[in-house]
Amino acid sequence: MSMLTNTLGRYFAGRFMVAALGVFASIFLLLVLVDYIEMVRRTSGLASASALMVAETSLFRVPQLLEKLTPFCVLIGAMTCYLALSRKLELVVARAAGVSAWQFISPTLACAIALGVFATTVYNPLSSNLRELSKRMEAEMFGGASGGGLHDASGFWINQVTDDGQAIINAALSEQQGVRLTGLTVFRFDPDSRFRERIEAREAALEDGRWLFKGVRRFTLDNPPVEQETFVLPTSLTPAQVQNSFSTPETVSFWQLPDYIRSSESSGFATAGYRLQYHKLIAQPFLLAAMVMLAASVSLRFFRFGGVQKMVLSGVGSGFLLYVLSKVTEDLSKAELMNPIAAAWLPVCVGGLTGFLVLLHQEDG
């Protein structure tokens, strides 16, 4: 415990935090640049898209993308930190003073767990809210364009059946997990499954028992197109049903997941993906600690012994294999072939035990 609070422990923890946050900031800037270039390409023909608005949209989209790379940021940051300490012989001095590897790893582990708690409880809800803001800004930019239509037959789909017949709704963009839609095309059929009309709308909102469309153009087989400011389409869908169709587990924040899982279960929807996401977020602090263990197992070798490049490559390779394992367990869990708790914690256990055993062999073997 003294190693976590003394000067040397704070020094090791500070070096790790600077390295990890430096990697995080570098990848963030790179992703913002790439996403901004892609958004400029997509909005090049839109008069409503200013350069500042496009930049803000990219800035709000990237945090959720970067959240998936947080374990690799910690892995690379820890490797960078330990390799720099080893190259400057600071680890040699620490060992000569009687400090074992377990002692100067413990401050880094504590920082990794603290970063994981922050990422789960603060960064995840923030990235989800920013993602919703980016969707709203995208809706403003693309709302003036000809939304819907057969040429845009992609994005989000939902089907509803009422006493009035069937309606198939396609939306280019979704906000609030499907409660607000932009760029819509609706294909309506009568109770006998005969085509009735096609509706194009700028936006729509789900209200109590109805969809309220705005900026509407209606097409039928026998009459010319009719433009309307608003149009009401009755529905039996509830917000929970729509959210289950339009949302993904990554777009629901950590604090909303328990209520979302309960409401989906009561509506009879599958919740395996959302349970997995919830347990992955709970396990995230320990996953970051496991990444530190992996980084330490390949980065504590002294430069004068040689083979540092091979050790670094082995660390990157082990991180990649751990990522593959997490994707396999994630797919198995979403297919309900594996318990979500086991799928979320298996990569943590494998990574942590691998790093621990390698360090144990190097230090005490």
Side-chain angles (χ1 to χ4, degrees):
M1 181 61 67
S2 61
M3 187 62 189
L4 297 176
T5 57
N6 63 20
T7 302
L8 186 60
R10 292 195 300 271
Y11 174 73
F12 286 145
R15 290 291 297 269
F16 164 72
M17 290 294 291
V18 169
L21 294 178
V23 173
F24 191 90
S26 301
I27 298 179
F28 178 81
L29 293 176
L30 178 62
L31 289 178
V32 168
L33 178 61
V34 172
D35 192 78
Y36 176 73
I37 294 173
E38 175 62 18
M39 286 295 296
V40 168
R41 184 190 66 80
R42 291 176 54 196
T43 59
S44 58
L46 300 179
S48 60
S50 63
L52 179 61
M53 193 173 186
V54 173
E56 289 180 349
T57 303
S58 296
L59 189 65
F60 294 160
R61 280 160 52 96
V62 166
Q64 194 171 72
L65 299 175
L66 189 59
E67 185 178 5
K68 301 178 182 179
L69 300 178
T70 301
F72 295 97
C73 293
V74 171
L75 175 67
I76 297 174
M79 291 174 60
T80 303
C81 170
Y82 287 130
L83 288 173
L85 292 173
S86 179
R87 184 182 60 183
K88 296 180 180 180
L89 301 180
E90 291 174 279
L91 294 183
V92 177
V93 174
R95 289 178 183 272
V99 179
S100 69
W102 305 106
Q103 289 178 295
F104 54 71
I105 287 174
S106 57
T108 309
L109 288 174
C111 288
I113 292 175
L115 280 176
V117 172
F118 176 82
T120 296
T121 59
V122 178
Y123 184 82
N124 175 262
L126 178 63
S127 66
S128 298
N129 291 333
L130 290 178
R131 181 58 177 153
E132 287 296 327
L133 285 176
S134 71
K135 289 181 179 180
R136 192 171 306 165
M137 297 178 72
E138 285 185 70
E140 293 177 4
M141 288 189 292
F142 293 99
S146 55
L150 293 176
H151 61 283
D152 284 334
S154 59
F156 305 91
W157 292 86
I158 194 167
N159 181 40
Q160 68 172 42
V161 179
T162 62
D163 295 336
D164 194 38
Q166 182 184 17
I168 301 174
I169 302 173
N170 169 235
L173 297 172
S174 165
E175 299 178 44
Q176 302 175 17
Q177 285 85 42
V179 176
R180 294 180 58 87
L181 306 175
T182 306
L184 294 111
T185 300
V186 182
F187 300 93
R188 296 187 66 195
F189 302 87
D190 62 20
D192 296 327
S193 298
R194 290 191 297 267
F195 178 76
R196 174 181 293 176
E197 64 178 339
R198 176 166 64 91
I199 301 172
E200 292 186 0
R202 184 180 67 252
E203 61 183 270
L206 178 63
E207 298 181 352
D208 188 16
R210 67 176 190 171
W211 287 101
L212 178 61
F213 294 89
K214 296 182 180 179
V216 179
R217 179 178 294 177
R218 302 173 65 182
F219 301 85
T220 58
L221 295 177
D222 302 325
N223 300 310
V226 177
E227 295 189 3
Q228 298 178 215
E229 188 62 31
T230 61
F231 176 75
V232 174
L233 179 66
T235 182
S236 59
L237 298 174
T238 64
Q241 292 172 319
V242 173
Q243 288 174 349
N244 189 77
S245 299
F246 281 84
S247 67
T248 59
E250 292 77 13
T251 60
V252 183
S253 72
F254 172 74
W255 300 110
Q256 294 175 340
L257 275 171
D259 293 335
Y260 193 88
I261 291 172
R262 284 193 292 268
S263 65
S264 297
E265 284 181 337
S266 62
S267 301
F269 294 115
T271 60
Y274 300 95
R275 287 183 176 276
L276 174 64
Q277 176 69 5
Y278 183 64
H279 289 291
K280 282 176 62 178
L281 290 174
I282 292 177
Q284 186 166 227
F286 303 97
L287 178 61
L288 300 188
M291 287 297 185
V292 170
M293 296 290 290
L294 282 177
S297 66
V298 300
S299 305
L300 297 182
R301 185 182 182 92
F302 299 136
F303 272 71
R304 62 186 179 88
F305 291 160
V308 176
Q309 293 82 0
K310 293 182 180 179
M311 300 290 283
V312 172
L313 289 176
S314 64
V316 175
S318 62
F320 176 75
L321 292 176
L322 196 62
Y323 170 77
V324 172
L325 175 63
S326 66
K327 292 301 293 183
V328 171
T329 57
E330 178 179 339
D331 292 339
L332 290 175
S333 177
K334 289 181 178 179
E336 298 187 356
L337 298 176
M338 189 175 187
N339 188 280
I341 298 177
W345 287 92
L346 183 60
V348 177
C349 296
V350 171
L353 288 176
T354 301
F356 175 77
L357 292 175
V358 172
L359 278 174
L360 191 64
H361 175 72
Q362 291 177 353
E363 295 298 315
D364 305 319

